[in-house]
Amino acid sequence: MRVPDNLIFSIFQDQEARIKKVLSEKTLDIATGRRVRALSDDPSTTYNVIQLKSEIAQLSQHSQNRLFADTNLTYADFTLGKMEDTIKRLYAEIIRIKNSATISSDQLIAMAEGFNQSIRQLLDRVNEKLGQNYIFGGNALTVKPFDENTLNYQAGAGDFKVWISENSKVSVFLEGGRVFKTNLYVSRATFNSPTDSFSSAGSITIKIGANTYTINYGGAGEPQSIQELANYINSNLGDGIQAFVSTNPNGTYSLALSTKDLSADMEFVSITGDFSTGFDNPNILQAIKRVKDKLENGIYPDEFDLFSINRSYDIVAMRRSEVGYVLNVVKNLQPTQENLDLVLKKQKSDLEDADIPESMMEYTRYRMAYEALMRIVADQKDLTILRYI
């Protein structure tokens, strides 16, 4: 029985459409290198690819931030190292002066010029820029951190931070007010002599960490001068507070205080009596300038001056150590991020990219199937009894 032509044609149309569709898909796979090109191709796979692309983009941003942090913190570390060298030289100079009993006032005045040059160098360092931003300007990126005349900090009130991973944020532009803050305090009240009696009794209440200290003076049985007060503090509160009698650049005397612990800070809870005018808290530059001003006036440096320079060096070294720790964390993150980037891109490629060799084999197979279909139809149309007579 002869198969009707319309049935053959119907079968041919169905098979041809199916094979042509597959051939078209394989041609696009080979041409574009992509197995999934639109949401309609495979909604589930496309959604996963979109998620991976988002993760890759976020990782890329974190990697850029990490490189940004690496660059800035490396430069901050370098700058702090140079400041360490400068302050170390100043400390050595103070030691030399302290160990010499024959230095005249004129020689002290001449030495002040060396201190002045060092202060200018330090000022240049703390006002250092990286690109258009100040490395110690905190979150006020383009504001010069330290005033050239007063040496006061005048920029951002906090560090500028960036995310270097999904859960980790680091400071890249540091707040100079915090970095170069000291725990040195000098009374605004001044005295003509270390042994001058207080004019009014009072007390100083200080908080350091969890400890609170109350120091009474001027009353019966209490210290009567800044010399006695400094001795009393060192004898009774020396575990937390250090006290000095320090000469001011104008030749008067002040009570100077500092914390025993390098990393601790001092909070004045209340002050009454002669010291009610409070205490100045110089930053590192101002502490060094105070010594320079004394030398310019021919005044011999005292123990607090030596302590101030040494404490300034220790603070810079501590800040550099803190920067170094963060920098180490940032550098150690690089291989982790690079490996994760490879993993995510491999996952994306596995879902999205076509297997070119397999697609070419599939294309060849369906091409042969299409040709076979054409031959079958042609042979069927050509069937007749006359071919066998």
Side-chain angles (χ1 to χ4, degrees), residues 7-8 11 15 38 59 81-82 125 129 176 178 218 229 231-232 260 266 318 334 341 363 386:
L7 178 59
I8 292 174
I11 294 172
Q15 292 301 312
L59 178 61
K82 290 297 182 182
R125 293 294 181 187
K129 289 173 93 173
R178 174 187 62 82
L229 184 56
N231 292 339
Y232 171 83
K260 191 79 170 179
M266 186 180 294
M318 178 178 69
Q334 180 177 352
D341 183 61
Y363 176 84
L386 295 178

Side-chain angles (χ1 to χ4, degrees), residues 54-295:
S54 176
E55 291 181 33
I56 291 169
Q58 185 181 52
L59 178 61
S60 175
Q61 183 61 60
H62 288 157
S63 296
Q64 291 178 36
N65 290 349
R66 175 191 50 75
L67 179 60
F68 180 62
D70 192 333
T71 302
N72 285 330
L73 292 174
T74 297
Y75 195 60
D77 177 70
F78 168 80
T79 302
L80 290 170
K82 290 297 182 182
M83 292 183 68
E84 277 185 309
D85 294 340
T86 300
I87 299 173
K88 187 184 294 184
R89 288 196 299 271
L90 293 178
Y91 182 72
E93 182 69 5
I94 288 289
I95 290 288
R96 188 176 73 81
I97 295 172
K98 290 286 290 179
N99 290 339
S100 176
T102 59
I103 294 180
S104 66
S105 295
D106 290 339
Q107 288 175 308
L108 292 174
I109 294 171
M111 289 175 182
E113 180 55 32
F115 269 73
N116 191 53
Q117 291 178 5
S118 294
I119 290 171
R120 304 313 301 178
Q121 291 173 6
L122 292 172
L123 184 61
D124 289 341
R125 293 294 181 187
V126 298
N127 284 336
E128 198 75 77
K129 289 173 93 173
L130 190 59
Q132 298 302 312
N133 302 317
Y134 291 95
I135 61 174
F136 297 116
N139 51 26
L141 302 178
T142 57
V143 177
K144 182 179 285 190
F146 289 87
D147 184 88
E148 294 184 0
N149 297 312
T150 65
L151 304 181
N152 287 328
Y153 180 72
Q154 57 188 10
D159 294 347
F160 179 83
K161 301 180 179 182
V162 296
W163 291 98
I164 59 171
S165 70
E166 192 173 356
N167 302 310
S168 181
K169 193 156 102 170
V170 298
S171 298
V172 292
F173 291 109
L174 309 176
E175 181 200 338
R178 174 187 62 82
V179 173
F180 301 113
K181 183 183 186 303
T182 70
N183 40 27
L184 306 170
Y185 297 86
V186 180
S187 69
R188 297 190 186 107
T190 61
F191 302 85
N192 293 324
S193 167
T195 57
D196 282 355
S197 298
F198 295 125
S199 59
S200 61
S203 66
I204 305 171
T205 301
I206 298 170
K207 186 176 181 181
I208 301 175
N211 299 317
T212 300
Y213 306 89
T214 297
I215 306 161
N216 297 310
Y217 63 90
E222 297 170 349
Q224 298 297 314
S225 66
I226 56 171
Q227 186 65 69
E228 290 183 11
L229 184 56
N231 292 339
Y232 171 83
I233 292 171
N234 290 329
S235 297
N236 296 277
L237 308 174
D239 60 327
I241 305 174
Q242 292 175 277
F244 304 84
V245 173
S246 182
T247 312
N248 294 307
N250 63 3
T252 61
Y253 295 85
S254 287
L255 176 69
L257 302 174
S258 182
T259 59
K260 191 79 170 179
D261 183 0
L262 172 65
S263 60
D265 202 5
M266 186 180 294
E267 176 188 352
F268 290 89
V269 179
S270 67
I271 306 175
T272 60
D274 281 3
F275 294 103
S276 59
T277 51
F279 287 74
D280 289 324
N281 175 214
N283 59 40
I284 285 172
L285 298 177
Q286 292 167 334
I288 295 173
K289 182 180 181 297
R290 183 174 184 271
V291 179
K292 186 267 298 185
D293 290 343
K294 291 171 66 171
L295 293 175

